[in-house]
Amino acid sequence: MNTLVKICGITNYADASLAAEMGADAIGFVFYKGSKRFIPHEEARKIICKLPPFLIRCGVFVDERWEKVMEVRNYCGLDRVQVYAGDRGLCGNFAPGITIMAFRVRDKKDVEEARKSESFPLLDSYHENMHGGGGVKFNWDLLADFGRPFMLAGGINSENIDMALKLNPYAIDIASGVESEPGKKDPDKMAEIFKRIGAHRLNRSSRLGERVQTVQAA
């Protein structure tokens, strides 16, 4: 299966529309006021109402009450809710497949915790005072033999996107790697990212076709 792409930290309609046009499978809105990419839910709703129906809308929350998360989710029409490992108590309140649980990775212990998560795991870089969007990757070698679908985040950009895709994540989450400044996407950087992703998908399809032909010929 091709790796899905989530463009996160959306703060305006132009960037959301561009991401959808270039082939993003999902976009993310950060509702955490401590983030440089924070967007009020009223503004997010205005953007979401204009987007294509099959684009997945994801809301990112940090240390938020379940009632507030539900209020924003319903108001904005969110398809997915992303919370951080410290907020794991929220997960039991959502139907399976709704919650993305983000883990900030420092070492193998964090990776193992993510692997055992009951929710779909997102693996991100650890920052003492930040929850994502720092533009720094963690040691991806820790993900060898992870053994289940996961989303990869943390410092993904055009220089390391090929390496990220070789890990075969179910999805990748990109924010700073396609920005000119926090909360503002750069069209050229986004185009380069999707160009590389497209090439990876084409190569993957070619290899799959070769395998099918080999099986049919056997």
Side-chain angles (χ1 to χ4, degrees), residues 91-110:
C91 294
N93 294 306
F94 295 104
I98 295 298
T99 311
I100 299 169
M101 177 64 75
F103 294 83
R104 299 189 294 164
V105 177
R106 287 172 291 187
D107 51 36
K108 193 67 176 177
K109 181 180 178 181
D110 296 323

Side-chain angles (χ1 to χ4, degrees), residues 146-166:
F146 189 70
R148 61 173 292 190
F150 66 95
M151 184 183 293
L152 181 65
I156 300 174
N157 54 45
S158 61
E159 295 182 359
N160 59 33
I161 183 67
D162 294 332
M163 184 190 309
L165 293 172
K166 286 181 180 179

Side-chain angles (χ1 to χ4, degrees), residues 125-145:
S125 301
Y126 177 86
H127 300 276
E128 185 174 357
N129 299 313
M130 296 179 62
H131 290 77
V136 179
K137 64 182 287 292
F138 63 93
N139 180 11
W140 291 345
D141 291 339
L142 294 172
L143 301 181
D145 303 319

Side-chain angles (χ1 to χ4, degrees), residues 113-126:
E113 184 180 3
R115 189 182 68 80
K116 294 179 179 179
S117 171
E118 294 182 359
S119 300
F120 181 77
L122 179 151
L123 294 107
D124 200 355
S125 301
Y126 177 86

Side-chain angles (χ1 to χ4, degrees), residues 17-194:
S17 178
L18 181 62
E21 182 180 340
M22 288 193 175
D25 302 284
I27 57 174
F29 299 91
V30 180
F31 298 111
Y32 173 52
K33 291 184 178 180
S35 171
K36 296 178 181 179
R37 300 168 181 84
F38 167 73
I39 182 171
H41 56 269
E42 296 88 354
E43 294 301 315
R45 177 187 167 108
K46 292 177 184 178
I47 296 171
I48 288 171
C49 288
K50 300 177 183 178
L51 295 175
F54 297 108
L55 182 69
I56 295 173
R57 288 89 157 149
C58 180
V60 180
F61 300 86
V62 177
D63 296 330
E64 190 57 85
R65 296 178 296 108
W66 177 77
E67 292 82 3
K68 183 63 175 180
V69 173
M70 284 299 297
E71 177 186 331
V72 175
R73 181 195 170 203
N74 292 334
Y75 178 77
C76 292
L78 301 174
D79 303 300
R80 302 288 186 276
V81 170
Q82 178 180 319
V83 298
Y84 279 77
D87 303 332
R88 62 169 57 85
L90 291 173
C91 294
N93 294 306
F94 295 104
I98 295 298
T99 311
I100 299 169
M101 177 64 75
F103 294 83
R104 299 189 294 164
V105 177
R106 287 172 291 187
D107 51 36
K108 193 67 176 177
K109 181 180 178 181
D110 296 323
V111 173
E112 183 62 16
E113 184 180 3
R115 189 182 68 80
K116 294 179 179 179
S117 171
E118 294 182 359
S119 300
F120 181 77
L122 179 151
L123 294 107
D124 200 355
S125 301
Y126 177 86
H127 300 276
E128 185 174 357
N129 299 313
M130 296 179 62
H131 290 77
V136 179
K137 64 182 287 292
F138 63 93
N139 180 11
W140 291 345
D141 291 339
L142 294 172
L143 301 181
D145 303 319
F146 189 70
R148 61 173 292 190
F150 66 95
M151 184 183 293
L152 181 65
I156 300 174
N157 54 45
S158 61
E159 295 182 359
N160 59 33
I161 183 67
D162 294 332
M163 184 190 309
L165 293 172
K166 286 181 180 179
L167 296 171
N168 291 319
Y170 180 85
I172 55 175
D173 185 308
I174 309 174
S176 61
V178 290
E179 289 182 332
S180 56
E181 60 183 81
K184 177 60 179 175
K185 305 311 179 193
D186 184 304
D188 292 334
K189 290 182 179 180
M190 198 158 351
E192 180 62 24
I193 282 283
F194 279 102

